[in-house]
Amino acid sequence: MDAVTVGTGPAVVLIASVLAIGAYLVAVVDRVLFALVAGRPVLWSVVTGPAREAAAVARRQPVTTEAPDRILWVMAPAAYAGLAAMALSVVPLGPGLAVADVRTGIVVFGAAEALAIVAIFLHGWAPNSALPLVAGYRFVGVALSYELLSMFVLIAAALPAESLSIGAIVASQEPVWNVVRQPLGLPLFLIVTAGVTFTGPLAIVDSPDLAGGGAAEDSGVVRLAWVGARAAMLVAFSAAAAAVFLGGWLGPVLPPIVWMALKTAAVAVTVLASRHLLARVSPERFVHIAWTVLLPLAFADLAIAGVVSL
Amino acid sequence: MTLVTVLLVAAALIGIGVWGALAQQTFVMIMMGIELMVNGAILAGAGVWAYAAGGVPEGQVLVIVAMAVMAVEMAIGFALVVAVYRTRQADMTEGISTLKG
Amino acid sequence: MTSAAFAVFSAAAIWTGWRVFRTDSMVRASFLLLASFLNVGALCVLLLAEYLGTALLFMMTVEMVVMALFMVMFMMNPAGLNPMNMVHQPRFAIGAGVVATLGLGGVAVAGAFPDAPAAPIPATIRALGSELLGDSMLVFETAGVTLVATMVCAVMLSSARGRYGDDDGGSVAPPLEPDGDHRPEDDLVDDGGGHGHMHHGGH
């Protein structure tokens, strides 16, 4: 599985359609979960709701701020969506069905995750406005404290596979999935997913306590692109979690790609449910917990994986 | 893409780094100049590894060492900036023309 | 294809590296430097040093995020809203830069390098791993010990409190003029009120 297994043209179509359909489903599922948690009836309008809302947002007149960094403001959502595509491109969606299941798969994935920090920070920085800037800084402080978690759990998953390729990591889970073999890995990776997509307890970027935070000054198409890119990033990270910890396409009876889709959906629903069920943590408390509790746990995960692999 | 072109690009990066490190006044910008020099060194190391050293692993190790150098330089540099700023409120080289504490 | 990619990435690496020192905005300077690193990482991937290239990407990204934070903490004008010129000895610096480029470029052109291209084999990453973590783990141990020492030094240097009390106890503000008198009223750590953050006002 060393080479690119899908041609360039089909690869672009594949990634773009998975991300676009996935992002729309994320919006639908989010509405369903909200209705369930709020005890309201789930109406059919949840299916068309995101489209109507997107059209309304895109048609609204764009407003701007004084002396913004226009290039960065427009580029940040594009870069964030591009990084979601980069992260998804190294994740195999079925046996041999990866856009670029490169030998350094999890390193590329980690690079996309790190660059996402830059995109989110610059998105807060670009409008030249106080609250988005505060959100950007706050996010960087939190992001630097969870960044190591994801590196540790991904490397721990690579140990039994003896490869950095995500395809090889999936293949190595034939006897037993990593979620059983390395029980600490998936929960920690879910925390990272919540952080990168600022969802649920880690919804500290575009949060109501900063009047919308990083997206406070966004309007029109830029706002739509940012929301869509966030959902796309959630899809990419859910797919990676499914591949690395839940055995990816492995499973009985059903075709491999269906298993992959089901597992990805399960991860995405879990993260989205945290949005409606868990309170937001205060950033300073999370940073404290991340360095003193979660990082040692991630290290233990890596150490146990190393000992088991010996 | 040949060894000579790769090394020329690396030389240009190092030259820009030298210019930046010497011309800038603030500590952080000087560190950026040094980083750019190491950046050029990394490229030169990777180029020599790929074209002139037959792909021996030692060549890549050189680049890993360069990355470690950068990490050390950043950590110590920023710690020094914090320390100097705290005692002298200076962030520019001219601000600490004496070493008196 | 490779040549075109090489031309694009190297031009971008050099241009962004140059812009680092020509922009007024400190945040932009950090991320331009990051862009230069990303392009060099792409060049490494082109040179088949696949692991190094991608490792460079994520290492430098995190490093430059930290850099940007420090820029904004310590430097004036992080957003570049005011034009400014923060350079000294510009002619000497340009001369040194040109001499360095020409000298190293001359070595590159004139030097006789052995022609031994790396084989495009999938074993390069494995070979690097064996070299790093092989029998003696020398490189890894050295880097590990160095980084631990670095951590200790960094914490010592930046710690606000030391063995003899606050480390800014008795510290003095720099004079506003070169070789000027030290003015006690500007001191940062005074015994009552008037915490004088006058630093940026003087420029």
Side-chain angles (χ1 to χ4, degrees), chain A:
Chain A
M1 269 179 238
D2 277 345
V4 172
T5 41
V6 182
T8 315
V12 173
V13 175
L14 177 70
I15 291 282
S17 50
V18 168
L19 286 180
I21 296 169
Y24 195 84
L25 288 177
V26 163
V28 172
V29 169
D30 193 43
R31 280 156 184 263
V32 172
L33 288 170
F34 175 72
L36 289 177
V37 171
R40 293 186 195 158
V42 180
L43 304 171
W44 277 111
S45 65
V46 293
V47 178
T48 52
R52 272 184 284 123
E53 197 174 305
V57 169
R59 274 207 315 263
R60 224 164 272 159
Q61 186 190 7
V63 288
T64 186
T65 55
E66 188 184 344
D69 194 323
R70 279 175 216 287
I71 299 173
L72 285 182
W73 207 355
V74 174
M75 269 178 59
Y80 194 52
L83 290 167
M86 174 176 163
L88 188 65
S89 69
V90 294
V91 178
L93 305 175
L97 183 65
V99 172
D101 188 10
V102 290
R103 290 178 286 150
T104 51
I106 59 172
V107 188
V108 174
F109 188 84
E113 188 190 322
L115 284 165
I117 302 176
V118 177
I120 296 168
F121 171 75
L122 289 178
H123 179 247
W125 188 77
N128 188 27
S129 170
L131 292 176
L133 188 66
V134 172
Y137 279 122
R138 193 159 92 161
F139 174 73
V140 167
V142 169
L144 290 176
S145 49
Y146 73 61
E147 178 70 23
L148 280 174
L149 300 184
S150 99
M151 287 292 108
F152 279 6
V153 297
L154 288 178
I155 292 169
L159 278 176
E162 297 183 0
S163 169
L164 298 175
S165 143
I166 297 184
I169 293 177
V170 175
S172 80
Q173 297 176 75
E174 191 81 63
V176 53
W177 294 357
N178 273 342
V179 69
V180 179
R181 196 157 48 177
Q182 303 173 357
L184 288 169
L186 184 60
L188 291 172
F189 193 78
L190 287 181
I191 293 173
V192 174
T193 306
V196 176
T197 57
F198 32 102
T199 316
L202 289 178
I204 55 153
V205 184
D206 297 353
S207 58
D209 68 330
L210 291 176
E217 306 284 359
D218 285 0
S219 54
V221 179
V222 173
R223 170 175 282 271
L224 185 62
W226 185 247
V227 174
R230 253 179 91 179
M233 190 60 97
L234 179 60
V235 173
F237 265 73
S238 304
V244 172
F245 297 103
L246 295 175
W249 65 76
L250 301 174
V253 185
L254 295 173
I257 191 139
V258 176
W259 273 113
M260 183 66 188
L262 286 176
K263 291 170 184 175
T264 305
V267 176
V269 168
T270 310
V271 175
L272 283 173
S274 77
R275 197 179 154 196
H276 300 290
L277 296 173
L278 298 178
R280 186 157 28 96
V281 296
S282 74
E284 59 270 33
R285 184 180 293 172
F286 175 77
V287 168
H288 187 78
I289 295 172
W291 287 107
T292 56
V293 180
L294 300 179
L295 191 59
L297 281 179
F299 190 73
D301 180 55
L302 183 56
I304 294 168
V307 170
V308 170
S309 303
L310 276 181

Side-chain angles (χ1 to χ4, degrees), chain B residues 50-75:
Chain B
Y51 285 114
V56 292
E58 288 88 343
Q60 295 200 62
V61 169
L62 181 72
V63 177
I64 299 262
V65 169
M67 285 192 209
V69 166
M70 245 188 301
V72 172
E73 178 243 315
M74 282 270 294

Side-chain angles (χ1 to χ4, degrees), chain C residues 74-142:
Chain C
F74 284 104
M75 298 200 47
M76 61 211 75
N77 201 19
L81 294 176
N82 305 312
M84 62 174 206
N85 189 23
M86 295 273 297
V87 295
H88 57 183
Q89 50 183 8
R91 289 216 187 85
F92 169 71
I94 290 174
V98 170
V99 167
T101 308
L102 292 183
L104 292 169
V107 171
V109 174
F113 293 97
D115 184 25
I121 42 171
T124 46
I125 297 176
R126 190 170 286 274
L128 174 63
S130 309
E131 181 71 19
L132 280 175
L133 297 165
D135 292 335
S136 72
M137 292 176 56
L138 182 64
V139 175
F140 212 74
E141 284 167 10
T142 316

